[in-house]
Amino acid sequence: MINLTKNSRISLEKNGSQLKEISIGLDWGSIQHSYLFGLLKDSTAVDLDGSVSLFADDKQEIETVYFHNLKSRDGAIKHSGDDRVGDSSADNKDNEIIYINLEQINPKVTSIFIYLNSYKQQDFASIPYAKIKIVEGKNHNPQQTFATYNIASDETYSGYVSMIMGKIEKLNNNWTFTALGDPIKAKNIKETVMLIQDRYM
């Protein structure tokens, strides 16, 4: 398993062969509170929306798969559905999963961006962690995790309610993944798509 760092890029291949199917796991924590010197604890639900947007070379948005559009038109990408709470404790389970068949993706698509938007506008400085996991195969078996990228709560994220976690790009007919972890000044999916087109392409 590869532990990625910010801006690191890996090829989506194993033993010299391109991976045909992968799943993207998105995992985050709810906000924890302590009272009476730590004797009492509770948590605030964190509703993050995991989405993927597909783009062509000319910056055209081909499609976005998210909680209201759980399957791409070509059937290559499927979304597991919306998680509105987050984890109260660290675990190995992902809150939302996006399944991708790299062989079936629309041939016009050259880049896929994976991002999180806070539905309740809770900024990322208050969210304890956010993780992205790449798993080979179509069943999202944690034992087949190919690579992970973890982001911890950071005061520099204060005021940001959206974050681009990573991008998948087609380079010379081979797919690569780049870990980003960039907080962005966007409040929803529409604004995120526009910002990606303006700054990342």
Side-chain angles (χ1 to χ4, degrees), residues 1-2 21 26 44-45 48 50 79 87 94 103 114 121 133 165 168 173 181 183-184 188 193 197:
M1 183 177 69
I2 304 169
E21 292 183 271
L26 297 168
T44 300
L48 297 183
H79 194 300
D87 297 328
D94 295 311
E103 291 190 316
I114 304 131
Q121 305 296 290
K133 178 191 300 176
M165 297 294 289
I168 298 172
N173 290 319
I184 56 172
N188 51 44
V193 168
Q197 291 169 315

Side-chain angles (χ1 to χ4, degrees), residues 70-190:
L70 296 178
K71 184 178 179 180
S72 61
R73 289 187 291 270
D74 57 20
I77 300 179
K78 299 176 182 178
H79 194 300
S80 65
D82 193 15
D83 183 297
R84 302 178 180 180
V85 178
D87 297 328
S88 58
S89 61
D91 59 25
N92 200 35
K93 296 180 180 179
D94 295 311
N95 300 85
E96 296 182 9
I97 303 168
I98 298 164
Y99 302 90
I100 303 176
N101 187 316
L102 294 169
E103 291 190 316
Q104 294 181 2
I105 289 176
N106 184 329
K108 292 182 180 179
V109 174
T110 56
S111 60
I112 302 168
F113 283 81
I114 304 131
Y115 52 91
L116 293 168
N117 300 110
S118 175
Y119 184 79
K120 297 179 181 178
Q121 305 296 290
Q122 295 161 301
D123 69 53
F124 275 84
S126 65
I127 299 169
Y129 63 87
K131 306 177 184 179
I132 184 169
K133 178 191 300 176
I134 303 172
V135 180
E136 67 173 291
K138 61 182 178 181
N139 297 318
H140 201 67
N141 182 347
Q143 294 181 344
Q144 293 180 294
T145 299
F146 185 74
T148 62
Y149 178 48
N150 301 338
I151 298 171
S153 174
D154 191 315
E155 284 303 316
T156 61
Y157 298 156
S158 181
Y160 293 93
V161 297
S162 298
M163 183 172 295
I164 300 177
M165 297 294 289
K167 63 178 176 179
I168 298 172
E169 292 180 289
K170 185 188 289 184
L171 301 173
N172 299 320
N173 290 319
N174 293 322
W175 293 100
T176 66
F177 175 83
T178 303
L180 293 175
D182 288 346
I184 56 172
K185 288 292 186 181
K187 294 183 178 180
N188 51 44
I189 291 174
K190 181 178 179 180

Side-chain angles (χ1 to χ4, degrees), residues 47-62:
D47 183 0
L48 297 183
D49 296 326
S51 308
V52 293
S53 290
L54 292 71
F55 298 93
D57 256 346
D58 60 1
K59 300 185 180 184
Q60 176 191 1
E61 179 195 3
I62 302 295

